Amino acid sequence: MFTEAIYCDPKDHRFYGNRSYCNLCLEQHSAALKDAQRSIELAPDWPKGFFRKGCALMGLKRYNEAEKAMEQVLKLDQHINEASSKLVTCRILQLMDMGFEEEQSKLLLEKFNTVQGVLTSSEAKALKQTSPQEQSGSCRSLWVGNITVEVTEKDLWDLFKTFGEIESIRVLHQRFCAFVNFKNANMAARALEKLQGVELGSTKLVMRYPDRWIQRTLPSTQRTNTSLGFSAAGTQHSSASTGF
């Protein structure tokens, strides 16, 4: 229906916003993002366009970019409560991608408000000092998120090689991530500590040990909490396509 409406009037930003919403409902997030971008081009002051963009980026797990889109929604209209809720969710998911548990992320954000504020806090640094040792064991691999299409394997190689000998790097642009495999676990641990949040391309990298390794090495109670945390995040995401 909205495709036909766009054919009749390709300059009406609302049609693109509504089709973006339909694509979100169908979990076609790339298509939803494209329509949201077009609605923003046609109406830069329309908050719903940025909201649709943020929801699509959340579906693509590009949480840092989604956060910026939700911030723009609130700049245009600070009374959109759903955008405020999604903004908090984006920040929680970014911290979870960095290895924090869901409850830790919530508590830290309540105190420091932003992801950057959390990462520079003494509380977060204290948690990060213990977490890698508890989780890493002898893991030589790192999962690296926020990998945009302009980031190449060579870019990652040049960035990570200063921390030790690299055995291989696998870039998955379609998933916006990469895997970096070091010669030994100490090299991986140093890179995780020093490169968390470093800018590469147009975004800040997020890193953690691969899911399968963390699930294998965490105690059973903590592993259950981790699974519940990501389930809750998925529930948050499933509501991202709602309107306001």
Side-chain angles (χ1 to χ4, degrees):
M1 179 176 69
F2 291 115
T3 299
E4 293 177 2
I6 289 169
Y7 179 79
C8 294
D9 186 359
K11 298 297 184 180
D12 192 322
H13 60 279
R14 295 169 299 178
F15 294 153
Y16 290 95
N18 289 332
R19 191 170 69 175
S20 177
Y21 170 70
C22 293
N23 283 320
L24 283 168
C25 292
L26 296 171
E27 297 188 356
Q28 296 177 356
H29 301 114
S30 295
L33 178 60
K34 183 177 179 180
D35 278 341
Q37 293 277 34
R38 181 56 179 156
S39 74
I40 291 169
E41 291 172 5
L42 293 170
D45 296 327
W46 191 47
K48 189 175 285 189
F50 287 97
F51 183 80
R52 298 293 182 227
K53 177 181 178 179
C55 289
L57 288 166
M58 289 179 73
L60 292 167
K61 303 186 187 301
R62 292 160 60 178
Y63 302 125
N64 179 264
E65 295 171 76
E67 177 189 14
K68 293 175 182 176
M70 292 303 174
E71 287 175 340
Q72 185 61 33
V73 174
L74 295 169
K75 285 181 182 178
L76 295 169
D77 187 345
Q78 60 182 332
H79 301 297
I80 299 175
N81 293 330
E82 194 170 358
S84 299
S85 175
K86 298 302 179 195
L87 177 59
V88 173
T89 300
C90 289
R91 290 170 176 168
I92 290 172
L93 291 171
Q94 285 181 73
L95 291 175
M96 290 175 68
D97 270 351
M98 296 176 194
F100 294 95
E101 294 182 13
E102 183 180 12
E103 195 58 35
Q104 289 175 339
S105 302
K106 289 178 179 178
L107 292 172
L108 289 166
L109 284 167
E110 284 178 6
K111 186 171 184 180
F112 299 105
N113 194 38
T114 66
V115 172
Q116 191 58 35
V118 168
L119 294 179
T120 56
S121 69
S122 58
E123 287 92 334
K125 290 176 181 177
L127 286 170
K128 290 173 73 175
Q129 284 174 0
T130 55
S131 291
Q133 295 164 354
E134 292 172 353
Q135 296 178 5
S136 67
S138 58
C139 184
R140 300 178 289 115
S141 301
L142 294 176
W143 176 91
V144 185
N146 279 353
I147 299 296
T148 53
V149 292
E150 65 265 24
V151 174
T152 66
E153 181 179 322
K154 182 179 184 302
D155 293 331
L156 291 169
W157 204 284
D158 290 342
L159 180 64
F160 282 89
K161 68 182 181 182
T162 56
F163 296 93
E165 185 178 349
I166 297 170
E167 291 189 337
S168 66
I169 292 178
R170 185 184 180 196
V171 182
L172 303 173
H173 281 127
Q174 70 275 23
R175 297 184 181 178
F176 304 98
C177 70
F179 291 90
V180 180
N181 303 303
F182 281 95
K183 186 77 172 178
N184 64 53
N186 289 334
M187 297 172 183
R190 286 199 301 271
L192 178 62
E193 178 185 358
K194 299 295 185 182
L195 294 180
Q196 190 71 264
V198 166
E199 288 194 11
L200 185 64
S202 57
T203 60
K204 293 183 179 180
L205 298 181
V206 294
M207 290 183 289
R208 55 178 165 78
Y209 293 104
D211 286 339
R212 282 179 294 178
W213 182 268
I214 293 175
Q215 294 297 321
R216 189 167 69 246
T217 57
L218 287 177
S220 59
T221 54
Q222 193 172 356
R223 184 162 56 242
T224 301
N225 290 338
T226 302
S227 299
L228 288 173
F230 279 100
S231 175
T235 301
Q236 288 277 11
H237 163 234
S238 68
S239 65
S241 59
T242 58
F244 55 82

